Amino acid sequence: MNQIPKCTLVPARFFDETAPRCFLSEIFELEEGAEVEHKDVPQYDAVLVYEKTEAGLPALSRVIDNLDGCAEYNKILAGWKAGTLSLAIAQGRNLLLANVFPAKDFITAEYHIFNAMKSLQLNPEISTVCFMERLGEDNELSLYRYFKSVEYICE
């Protein structure tokens, strides 16, 4: 299983462009030579700070960038690849959550989605969950037991 990407979202008004490493090192233990980069997320007045890897931007960046592709007011967008769930949830133009979770199997990914929704007091029965990539039929059917609908935002 791949290591969880080291990244965090910082409100733009608090971000110091001269010291992005400070924000990430508050959350993660960084190796001595680790490179830290950042990307503006103007639609949510935030900055994504992340450890540079061979993979480039963390998958969470794609999820946040595509969140507006969810048609409903409660926007729930997930990407699940290589044992990692990248999840973003917004209400209208307000980003409520953007995080990555270890999820070696789909049951664990579902757990994290439901836990996030519960903490935000969102009801799955009246919500549509969107995914960045196609799920297997069994996983999609599992989600339909709880959500109003399952949609895909595939690039």
Side-chain angles (χ1 to χ4, degrees):
M1 183 166 80
N2 292 345
Q3 184 180 0
I4 296 296
K6 295 177 181 177
C7 58
T8 189
L9 214 56
V10 178
R13 68 181 177 273
F14 297 129
F15 183 69
D16 179 358
E17 194 170 303
T18 65
R21 185 181 184 91
C22 292
F23 294 97
L24 208 55
S25 65
E26 289 285 323
I27 301 166
F28 298 100
E29 187 174 319
L30 299 174
E31 292 186 22
E32 182 72 30
E35 290 183 56
V36 175
E37 295 190 353
H38 65 279
K39 174 190 171 194
D40 289 335
V41 185
Q43 66 271 36
Y44 297 110
D45 197 26
V47 177
L48 179 67
V49 181
Y50 61 96
E51 180 180 36
K52 184 178 177 181
T53 65
E54 291 177 9
L57 284 167
L60 184 60
S61 177
R62 275 187 51 234
V63 171
I64 293 168
D65 288 346
N66 287 281
L67 195 53
D68 280 342
C70 299
E72 298 195 13
Y73 179 73
N74 287 339
K75 300 171 186 318
I76 304 158
L77 181 57
W80 180 58
K81 273 187 170 177
T84 301
L85 174 72
S86 300
L87 179 64
I89 300 175
Q91 283 186 320
R93 304 290 309 155
N94 296 320
L95 184 63
L96 303 176
L97 178 135
N99 208 344
V100 292
F101 304 92
K104 65 179 175 163
D105 54 51
F106 194 71
I107 292 170
T108 305
E110 282 182 311
Y111 166 80
H112 289 300
I113 293 168
F114 292 128
N115 193 40
M117 291 188 67
K118 182 179 178 183
S119 72
L120 296 170
Q121 299 180 350
L122 298 176
N123 184 352
E125 294 174 354
I126 60 170
S127 301
T128 296
V129 63
C130 302
F131 272 81
M132 293 292 296
E133 56 280 315
R134 294 268 171 206
L135 299 173
E137 187 177 337
D138 289 346
N139 294 340
E140 186 175 326
L141 288 174
S142 178
L143 288 169
Y144 269 113
R145 289 188 295 185
Y146 305 101
F147 286 92
K148 176 178 79 172
S149 182
V150 178
E151 295 179 358
Y152 297 98
I153 298 175
C154 300
E155 297 178 302

